[in-house]
Each structure stands twice: as structure tokens, then as C-alpha cells.
Amino acid sequence: MAVYTKINDKDISIINKKFKLGRNVKFHGIKKGIENTNYLIKTEKKKFILTIFEKRVNSSDLPFFMKLMDLLSLIKNVCPKPLKDNHGKYLFRIKNKNACIVSFLSGKDKNKLTNQNCFEVGKNIAMMHKATKNFKIKRSNSMGINKLNPLLDSIKFKKSKLILSYKDFLFNNLKDIKKNWPKNLPSGIIHADLFVDNIFFKKNKFSGFIDFYFSANDYYAYELAICINALCFDKKKSKFIINKQKIKYLIKGYEKIQKISRKEKDNLNILCRGAAIRYLLTRAFDYINTPKTALIKIKDPREYYQKLVAHNKISTFKEYIH
């Protein structure tokens, strides 16, 4: 979440008429995250999130995201529910961009997850994967491993000494990861962006997932690899150290609902490397290209450089949990 697009009282008034949100509307921008513009909207009785879709979101993908959240909310998987306007539409235009309103999910993100939190996250990921097996909607992963070369090629390395130092490392790693990427693992709809700020807890209990705007069909184990990178490293001073206990609990939680096959476990390392380079590339690109006027906290690409280096030193599933 972030604020790239500025709105005013008049814009909110027009939105309120479309969606009949309520009286005494107040709003403010949400700074967390890096992809889309988000505002918290408050009325006398309810809260909502306005999302304005920015650079990496393809307009043709938006109906998939809306339908996915709607279907998940109908079967009691905890996530925001997209609202329909007076004409029964989820999506509308504001400032020449696509936008939507979703219900407010109670709870908040945690900066640091406990082992038990990781267990709950794993369990709820598996529940989500299991629930979506019967959904008839599909979307290819726009940030999948085979889609990363154009992003790498678009990075202007010379604009930053920091990013320039990654150039050979990125090209060599991506080439090797693509060469060794697994085939025919169990797959379906995954969230594909489960960072701590997209996972909510209430009174230290899991309350739901938010921000489904990278969701796609991909390997289920790739979701776990993304989570290992995002949730299972501890920062000690300026270093990111892998936490094997958190990985063990994440996997235990997942396997309470859905078993992970031997082939998935054997390929966990390459999936973790793929997830790490995906975020290293997007952070490197954003580090150079994010406008200075954006109300946003730019995320440091060095974090994912360190994580990819850590994965490069591991080869077996056992090394992740012992």
C-alpha cells in the first residue's frame, strides 16, 4: 500500500454517491507498501479501503482480483470483500485510473511474528489453497519466474551505485534459477504477496489476509517460498538471518490442512531463490524509479540480496528446518 495519487473531498463525495458508504466521511492516505495507492475511508458507522491501481497492475486482471476476494469472503475465508456500486460494478475510474472499494478488515499487521503466528499463517494459507481449488477463475502470474527477464532488462543500473553492484549477481542468479525451475508441481490460486503487512492479527490471533492484487495461478509451494522469505528471517542489526524454527512452524501449520509432497520439498530451495530474486528485482527497480513526490517508504533492496545469498548456501529441505 502507498500513496501515489492524491484525492480531495470532491472525489470522496463522488465515490460516496456511487457506493452509498454513509455519512460524515473522512479519509487519509495509507503509507505502507509500494504498489498501489490506498486510502482509509471512515464514516459514522463503518470503515472502508479505497485502492487506486498503479503501475504494475494490468486493468484486464482486475476482474479476477475482485472475483477472487468476493468468492473467498463468501466461503468465510477471511479477506476484504469488494463492494459493488449502484450499477452492480466493482470497479470505477478516478484520476484516470482504475479503483475499487473493499470492506475494512479488523486487526492489524505485526512487525515480528512468533512461531505460533507462523503456524497460524501456514494453516490459513493451506485453507485458502484448498478453498480455491473449485474456483473457475484463472490468471497467469505476471511476476512469475519466466516473466522476470523484461523487469531485469528495464533496470537502469548506472543510476545507482548500489544497484550497479548487483548487476552480474542478478543476471547470473536469474539464469541459474530459470534453468533449474521445477515442472509439474501441485498448483492453483495463490496470494503471491504475503508479507507481514498483508497478514492481520487481532489480539494475537490470525484475522485475515489483505491485498490480493498479485494473486495468480502458480505452484502452492512457491507461496510457501515467498512466505519463508517474507516472514522467516530475523533482522539482527543490519543482517537478515534465516529462522529455521519459524519455517518449521509455517510448514507444520500448512501440513495440518494440506500435505506437502516430497517433490515440493525437494524443490523448496530453488523456489525460495526464485521468490527472493523476484523481490530483489522489484525493489531494485523501485529504488531507482519511485518518484520523490510519492508518499511512500521505499523498501531497501539489500534485504533481498542478503536473503538470496542465504538461499544460495542451502540445497536441501532438511537444511531449512534443522
Side-chain angles (χ1 to χ4, degrees), residues 156-196:
K156 295 178 173 63
F157 287 93
K158 290 181 181 178
K159 276 194 169 186
S160 163
K161 287 183 181 179
L162 169 64
I163 307 303
L164 182 60
S165 69
Y166 296 159
K167 186 174 181 180
D168 290 340
F169 179 82
L170 285 169
F171 275 95
N172 293 335
N173 269 269
L174 183 56
K175 183 179 178 181
D176 186 64
I177 291 165
K178 286 182 71 176
K179 180 183 173 183
N180 292 288
W181 199 248
K183 294 178 181 178
N184 302 319
L185 294 183
S187 63
I189 297 172
I190 67 171
H191 181 286
D193 201 36
L194 283 175
F195 279 69
V196 287

Side-chain angles (χ1 to χ4, degrees), residues 28-279:
H28 64 80
I30 300 172
K31 195 174 180 179
K32 286 187 178 181
I34 59 174
E35 297 301 338
N36 300 309
T37 292
N38 290 273
Y39 287 89
L40 174 63
I41 299 176
K42 293 182 180 180
T43 66
E44 282 183 345
K45 295 181 179 179
K46 290 186 177 182
K47 296 177 184 177
F48 306 91
I49 299 294
L50 161 65
T51 297
I52 303 171
F53 296 102
E54 304 286 354
K55 50 187 176 177
R56 288 200 185 101
V57 181
N58 213 318
S59 59
S60 62
D61 291 329
L62 294 177
F64 172 88
F65 303 139
M66 299 299 110
K67 190 67 177 173
L68 175 60
M69 286 190 287
D70 202 17
L71 288 169
L72 284 171
S73 64
L74 285 172
I75 59 170
K76 302 293 195 300
N77 264 72
V78 188
C79 74
K81 182 178 177 63
L83 276 62
K84 291 181 179 179
D85 68 12
N86 299 330
H87 301 288
K89 294 181 179 179
Y90 296 120
L91 299 162
F92 62 98
R93 301 281 290 176
I94 185 170
K95 306 292 184 184
N96 293 317
K97 295 175 182 179
N98 289 304
C100 72
I101 301 282
V102 300
S103 62
F104 182 82
L105 187 67
S106 62
K108 60 181 181 179
D109 57 330
K110 292 183 68 176
N111 287 329
K112 292 182 180 179
L113 302 187
T114 64
N115 291 341
Q116 185 58 32
N117 293 153
C118 290
F119 179 88
E120 289 297 315
V121 170
K123 187 175 78 170
N124 279 279
I125 290 169
M127 289 167 64
M128 179 175 64
H129 289 174
K130 203 167 184 179
T132 59
K133 282 180 180 177
N134 295 321
F135 293 178
K136 304 298 182 187
I137 54 174
K138 286 189 177 182
R139 174 183 177 262
S140 64
N141 190 351
S142 59
M143 299 302 293
I145 203 69
N146 291 317
K147 306 286 180 69
L148 295 181
N149 276 108
L151 177 59
L152 177 55
D153 292 339
S154 72
I155 294 173
K156 295 178 173 63
F157 287 93
K158 290 181 181 178
K159 276 194 169 186
S160 163
K161 287 183 181 179
L162 169 64
I163 307 303
L164 182 60
S165 69
Y166 296 159
K167 186 174 181 180
D168 290 340
F169 179 82
L170 285 169
F171 275 95
N172 293 335
N173 269 269
L174 183 56
K175 183 179 178 181
D176 186 64
I177 291 165
K178 286 182 71 176
K179 180 183 173 183
N180 292 288
W181 199 248
K183 294 178 181 178
N184 302 319
L185 294 183
S187 63
I189 297 172
I190 67 171
H191 181 286
D193 201 36
L194 283 175
F195 279 69
V196 287
D197 46 4
N198 290 333
I199 304 168
F200 277 18
F201 293 86
K202 192 173 182 180
K203 295 181 180 177
N204 209 34
K205 290 187 177 181
F206 175 85
S207 66
F209 298 130
I210 66 165
D211 201 357
F212 283 76
Y213 305 122
F214 281 106
S215 298
N217 289 74
D218 211 319
Y219 296 147
Y220 292 133
Y222 184 55
E223 183 102 274
L224 291 173
I226 291 169
C227 288
I228 286 168
N229 277 288
L231 313 178
C232 300
F233 278 77
D234 296 331
K235 188 177 182 182
K236 296 179 181 178
K237 294 184 178 178
S238 60
K239 301 290 184 184
F240 288 87
I241 312 297
I242 199 163
N243 186 320
K244 296 182 180 183
Q245 280 296 306
K246 286 184 177 179
I247 296 173
K248 186 185 287 188
Y249 275 84
L250 178 77
I251 288 169
K252 272 187 179 180
Y254 190 92
E255 290 206 295
K256 188 174 177 67
I257 304 298
Q258 182 159 285
K259 290 299 176 188
I260 303 169
S261 70
R262 172 48 53 190
K263 189 177 179 182
E264 288 173 298
K265 290 178 179 179
D266 288 345
N267 283 286
L268 184 64
N269 174 247
I270 196 70
L271 294 169
C272 284
R273 290 178 64 203
I277 202 166
R278 174 257 189 268
Y279 287 102

